[in-house]
Each structure stands twice: as C-alpha cells, then as structure tokens.
Amino acid sequence: MLHFSKISSKGKDFNLIASGALAFKIHNKILKDDTFTKGTKISRNMLLGSVPAKAMTADKRNVFYVILSDVDRTNVEDLCKMIAQERKKGSYAVCQVIPLYYNEPSFKALKTLRQNFDEVIELNKFSFGNGKVLMSAEQQHCLITDYSLSMARIMYHVCVKDFAPIMQESKGELVYVA
C-alpha cells in the first residue's frame, strides 16, 4: 500500500510517498516534524494503482520524495508509471530505498526505480569510523529515520524556495531556462 501526502506551502507542493512498515513510520515522523507543520497544509491520500485517490493538479510541476522499504512486496511498476508521467511535466522525483531483502524481485524493482526517478538512494547498513557496522537493527532504523527526515527537510526547503525553473518549448524540445 502506498501512502501519499501532499504538503502545500507558498503555492508549491511537496509530495511524500511511503510504502512498507519502516517507510510508513518514517513518513509519519516527517509529517509530525515542526518544519512541515508550520505554515503548511497537509493532505493525506492513498495511491490507487498508479494515481492518487484525490486528483493532483494536472499541469503543475511537483517535487516527490518517495521512501520504500520491503521493495519486493511493493508494486513498483504502478508507482513508476505515475512518476514517469509527472516527470514529463517537469516534476522532480527522488526515491529512497531501504532494502530489507536482497533477492531477485528486489534487484528488478531497483532497476525499474532507477529508470523512472531522477535520483534513487539506496540505504545499506550504516557504519562509523573504523568501519564497524552497527549491530542493532534498532540503531540502524534510528539512523535511517534521521537521515530521511533531514533529506525531506532539504528537499522541502528547496521546493518551497525556488523549485521549478521556467520551461520553454523550442523546436519541439523542452528547454529549461534558469
């Protein structure tokens, strides 16, 4: 199940999508953060197939931050169809993957994600200093949550301040003007 939230501020939308148990916990923590609760309007939604249950603005460019855990259980193709359509409009999409399993369906899903998103960030086991891997899954989840929250803040601030340079069509090609 894909959880979809739209955070609107200053006439711009920041879209947060999560799938998987850990991703949903991170999604909720992000939405409770002060950065996203002050001066914004948050609307929660579900993705049914490849479209949100409530319609999005048809011609508006958006920023998407997608967090996925349990990648092999997610129907990544529907999500990728929606993101591909949004990217054609000039939207920007980043996907953060928290791999819980390394198997054939996960590798296929990652390949599909890399083909459809602007950026795909795969979070593996974290280590410190001399390379010792943190032993506790709980410690790793705390680090992943903190990283995800920081990443969401950065993307949100960039989105609200100056996302979406003007696009012009020149000889049938899209040209970005700074």
Side-chain angles (χ1 to χ4, degrees):
M1 185 175 349
L2 293 167
H3 301 275
F4 181 89
S5 296
K6 180 167 64 171
I7 303 166
S8 302
S9 178
K10 298 181 183 178
K12 296 185 181 177
D13 296 333
F14 176 74
N15 299 282
L16 183 63
I17 301 173
S19 179
L22 179 57
F24 184 64
K25 288 179 185 176
I26 294 169
H27 175 264
N28 285 334
K29 186 166 184 167
I30 290 171
L31 292 180
K32 291 176 185 173
D33 188 81
D34 288 345
T35 304
F36 303 101
T37 56
K38 292 182 181 175
T40 63
K41 178 186 172 196
I42 297 174
S43 59
R44 288 181 173 238
N45 206 342
M46 296 296 241
L47 287 177
L48 303 173
S50 63
V51 293
K54 298 175 192 168
M56 293 178 60
T57 310
D59 59 347
K60 192 173 180 183
R61 288 183 278 170
N62 295 294
V63 173
F64 292 87
Y65 182 42
V66 179
I67 305 169
L68 302 175
S69 57
D70 295 329
V71 178
D72 59 335
R73 296 183 185 176
T74 305
N75 188 350
V76 173
E77 291 175 7
D78 286 342
L79 172 65
C80 287
K81 284 178 190 174
M82 184 201 77
I83 294 299
Q85 291 171 353
E86 288 294 322
R87 287 184 65 210
K88 285 179 185 175
K89 296 189 298 187
S91 295
Y92 184 75
V94 172
C95 181
Q96 174 186 302
V97 180
I98 306 164
L100 300 180
Y101 305 105
Y102 287 100
N103 54 24
E104 190 68 24
S106 292
F107 294 130
K108 287 181 180 178
L110 278 169
K111 182 179 179 183
T112 304
L113 290 168
R114 286 188 186 108
Q115 292 170 348
N116 289 283
F117 280 80
D118 292 295
E119 298 290 334
V120 176
I121 303 162
E122 185 179 351
L123 297 182
N124 294 323
K125 294 181 179 180
F126 285 91
S127 61
F128 285 113
N130 60 1
K132 290 184 180 177
V133 175
L134 291 173
M135 298 309 273
S136 166
E138 188 175 325
Q139 286 175 317
Q140 289 180 23
H141 290 171
C142 285
L143 280 175
I144 289 169
T145 301
D146 289 345
Y147 175 85
S148 302
L149 185 55
S150 296
M151 179 69 126
R153 282 187 197 124
I154 291 166
M155 288 184 64
Y156 170 75
H157 287 303
V158 169
C159 166
V160 170
K161 287 184 182 168
D162 59 3
F163 172 70
I166 300 167
M167 256 187 357
Q168 295 178 345
E169 197 166 315
S170 172
K171 296 181 185 176
E173 296 177 353
L174 292 177
V175 179
Y176 288 94
V177 180

